[in-house]
Amino acid sequence: MPDFWRRSLFRNADLHALDLGALFNASPNAYVIFDEALTIVGCNESYLKVVGRAASHEIVGHYLFDAFPSSTDSASYRLLRRSLDRVLATHEQDHIAVIPYDTSEPGEPPNMRYWSATHTPIFDRDGTFRYILQHTVDVSELQRLRERGAHELFVEAGVLHRARQVQAANQAIDAERELLRDMFKQAPGFIGILAGPAHTFLLANDAYRSLVGGRELVGLTVAQALPEVVGQGFIDLLDQVYASGEAYIGKQVPVMLRQLGDAVPVKHHIDFIYQPILSEDGDVSGIFVQGHDVSDQVEAERLQSLRHRELGHRLKNQLAMVQAIVNQTIRGSNDIATAGATIAGRLQALSRAHESLVTGTTGLTSVREIVRMTAEIHEHGQLQRFRIEGPDVEIASRPALSLSLILHELTTNAVKYGALSSENGRVHVAWDVSGAEDARRFTLSWRETGGPTVSPPSRSGAGTRLIRAGLAGTVSSAVTVDFEAAGILCRIEADFTSMGEEPD
């Protein structure tokens, strides 16, 4: 018994000299005690008498609904269970105005009676909740007389009727409250209610707790529950809303939030509103917080913007390359027909290279894919006379387009005059990346064998000039072409670091 009650209600009584069990048993009122599992742990004789039991062992130690069975679908069960659950959840007293309940023993004829009950939480000396005390009154006769409509009991019947109406209204309110609580808890966006100028969490739904890594929020201030947001301006915004009474709306606001047990904050983007809650006198008493984590949307928009910039950049590069091809071909051609055919072939090679680029998502293209596509044009997909080898290397779009055109010119020359003009001719294409990390060099070699004897040309044509231009205009590079008797040898060297970057 708490000291408060010792000092006040029983200050003149020697409680140590009393047998509280006997005092409890001597009461004319019917009492029964349940533990948290709803097991009957004690009752007085008045209770045994009113429920028609001869001895305490018939019910004490038994689960309540085993001692007094009732269908879980019945109104009796639902009324009693709801009241007991409410006390277990809130540790506050609860009343049942009228409840019909059959207290007959199993096997006996039903004996439906009407009861009025009060359920009171019982705490130990330390204030810990331990038991539920039920005080029950049999009001069956009053109920039956009311149902018979006895005129002399009009007042009592009216009171009972109003009590039942109040009880029904309370049940409807409880059901609505439960529905709202479930909707609040399961809402997809994060929702919280903050109280007072310190912004203490009164409520926070599952989505809010999930956003902050499952941390407990209720009962703590925002600064206590989420210390990482203090320096990010959110406390200042809450203070502003509380002081001004005006709502604040944030769109795609970045916020760093720690997950439970993780010291490293993770960046999120959120849409949210801080809505002031006004009391009856018009003063701000709290703030309603509602919002959504839009991090995925922000990331998708960022990638979309990146793709648009990349597409524009590639288009600019393509146009520049087309212009260079046309100018260079016309300068080196003697007639329009030859120039047109040459331009068409080179643009076709450029188109195939472009297809490879636009199907990628990183803006990089594989050197192996560039070589393979060029060779397949002349080998009808068989690649029987090409030997291709080298590591997996990816380069940016501009050097990829230049390399495609160089390989196209080398292949065209090999088909017309070199190794691919004879049945026994072969082409070996190999590449590699070497050197220190900050000075890596890309090397590609084209070697023809088994074809006609080669002699140096008397003059350099447009194709040769295009080959020897290398990757100029995109990266630092150098190209050598040796007209060896056994076959042409072309070697390309370039700064590999710059080949992975798009020039402005």
Side-chain angles (χ1 to χ4, degrees):
M1 180 178 295
D3 290 340
F4 171 79
W5 298 110
R6 292 178 185 276
R7 293 193 304 269
S8 57
L9 300 180
F10 300 101
R11 60 180 177 273
N12 293 325
D14 184 5
L15 296 181
H16 293 289
L18 294 178
D19 184 345
L20 294 182
L23 182 65
F24 175 71
N25 203 42
S27 173
N29 296 311
Y31 292 106
V32 62
I33 301 177
F34 314 115
D35 63 13
E36 293 182 88
L38 300 184
T39 300
I40 299 175
V41 297
C43 67
N44 64 358
E45 292 181 357
S46 295
Y47 183 85
L48 291 175
K49 183 178 179 179
V50 78
V51 298
R53 297 294 189 272
S56 62
H57 66 79
E58 296 181 25
I59 58 174
V60 174
H62 294 270
Y63 178 55
L64 167 61
F65 294 106
D66 289 339
F68 303 105
S70 180
S71 171
T72 57
D73 295 328
S74 67
S76 302
Y77 175 88
R78 291 197 300 270
L79 279 171
L80 181 56
R81 185 65 197 234
R82 186 179 297 131
S83 178
L84 293 170
D85 286 344
R86 196 175 291 123
V87 177
L88 290 171
T90 66
H91 296 173
E92 295 178 356
Q93 192 178 72
D94 191 72
H95 304 277
I96 302 178
V98 178
I99 176 174
Y101 210 99
D102 180 7
T103 58
S104 61
E105 294 186 75
E108 291 184 352
N111 182 23
M112 182 63 70
R113 302 191 68 78
Y114 293 86
W115 310 85
S116 179
T118 298
H119 295 122
T120 304
I122 303 298
F123 305 86
D124 62 17
R125 294 176 182 272
D126 298 326
T128 301
F129 173 77
R130 296 293 302 278
Y131 305 107
I132 298 176
L133 173 68
Q134 183 191 80
H135 173 215
T136 185
V137 178
D138 187 343
V139 294
S140 301
E141 293 303 318
L142 179 62
Q143 175 70 6
R144 292 192 179 103
L145 287 173
R146 174 191 172 277
E147 292 174 351
R148 288 198 301 267
H151 177 72
E152 64 272 17
L153 294 177
F154 177 77
V155 176
E156 291 88 338
V159 171
L160 188 59
H161 176 69
R162 288 193 295 273
R164 296 187 69 176
Q165 286 183 320
V166 170
Q167 180 173 312
N170 287 337
Q171 290 171 359
I173 292 173
D174 287 343
E176 184 176 348
R177 184 185 298 115
E178 289 295 329
L179 176 62
L180 291 174
R181 182 181 292 113
D182 289 342
M183 291 175 62
F184 175 86
K185 183 179 180 181
Q186 299 173 25
F190 61 86
I191 303 175
I193 297 178
L194 309 177
H199 317 304
T200 301
F201 279 100
L202 290 184
L203 291 173
N205 70 342
D206 292 347
Y208 210 135
R209 296 184 69 249
S210 176
L211 177 66
V212 298
R215 282 179 280 180
E216 291 297 332
L217 301 175
V218 175
L220 300 175
T221 67
V222 174
Q224 291 170 336
L226 309 172
E228 67 270 28
V229 308
V230 173
Q232 300 182 53
F234 291 93
I235 304 295
D236 294 336
L237 287 177
L238 289 170
D239 290 341
Q240 173 185 320
V241 172
Y242 195 89
S244 67
E246 297 180 358
Y248 179 87
I249 299 176
K251 293 290 187 181
Q252 297 187 356
V253 178
V255 56
M256 302 298 293
L257 293 172
R258 286 204 306 268
Q259 300 302 296
L260 189 63
D262 191 350
V264 180
V266 177
K267 188 175 185 179
H268 296 260
H269 286 84
I270 56 175
D271 287 350
F272 68 94
I273 180 172
Y274 288 159
Q275 179 68 44
I277 301 172
L278 304 181
S279 61
E280 292 183 358
D281 57 7
D283 294 333
V284 177
S285 61
I287 295 176
F288 178 79
V289 181
Q290 191 273 332
H292 296 271
D293 185 347
V294 294
S295 301
D296 291 343
Q297 175 187 333
V298 171
E299 178 62 15
E301 291 175 355
R302 186 191 69 81
L303 291 176
Q304 184 70 10
S305 176
L306 183 64
R307 291 190 184 102
H308 286 165
R309 290 197 301 271
E310 172 65 19
L311 182 59
H313 194 69
R314 289 182 181 180
L315 180 60
K316 182 180 70 174
N317 291 344
Q318 288 280 69
L319 293 175
M321 191 67 69
V322 169
Q323 184 179 19
I325 289 172
V326 172
N327 291 339
Q328 188 179 58
T329 304
I330 290 177
R331 285 197 303 267
S333 300
N334 296 322
D335 59 85
I336 297 298
T338 302
T342 303
I343 290 174
R346 289 172 178 173
L347 291 181
Q348 186 179 16
L350 186 65
S351 174
R352 287 189 297 271
H354 180 67
E355 288 179 8
S356 176
L357 290 174
V358 297
T359 56
T361 58
T362 63
L364 301 176
T365 304
S366 166
V367 171
R368 184 181 303 278
E369 183 69 10
I370 295 171
V371 175
R372 183 189 63 78
M373 289 179 61
T374 304
E376 281 185 345
I377 296 171
H378 301 281
E379 284 291 284
H380 306 289
Q382 301 300 315
L383 298 179
Q384 295 176 348
R385 294 197 290 173
F386 276 84
R387 178 185 170 194
I388 300 172
E389 58 183 356
D392 291 331
V393 175
E394 292 184 325
I395 57 177
S397 60
R398 286 285 291 275
L401 292 173
S402 296
L403 181 60
S404 296
L405 290 173
I406 293 172
L407 293 174
H408 170 71
E409 292 300 323
L410 288 170
T411 306
T412 301
N413 289 338
V415 169
K416 289 182 176 181
Y417 316 110
L420 300 181
S421 65
S422 66
E423 294 183 359
N424 297 323
R426 297 290 184 269
V427 177
H428 180 205
V429 184
W431 66 91
D432 197 6
V433 178
S434 60
E437 188 67 28
D438 58 346
R440 303 179 74 191
R441 299 291 294 175
F442 172 79
T443 304
L444 182 143
S445 65
W446 169 287
R447 180 181 292 276
E448 299 180 23
T449 57
T453 302
V454 175
S455 58
S458 58
R459 65 183 183 87
S460 295
T464 302
R465 289 196 298 273
L466 186 149
I467 294 171
R468 284 178 169 160
L471 309 182
T474 60
V475 298
S476 174
S477 65
V479 177
T480 58
V481 181
D482 294 328
F483 295 91
E484 299 178 355
I488 289 178
L489 170 61
C490 177
R491 183 179 178 86
I492 303 172
E493 292 188 11
D495 174 17
F496 180 70
T497 302
S498 62
M499 292 178 70
E501 302 173 350
E502 288 287 3
D504 295 330

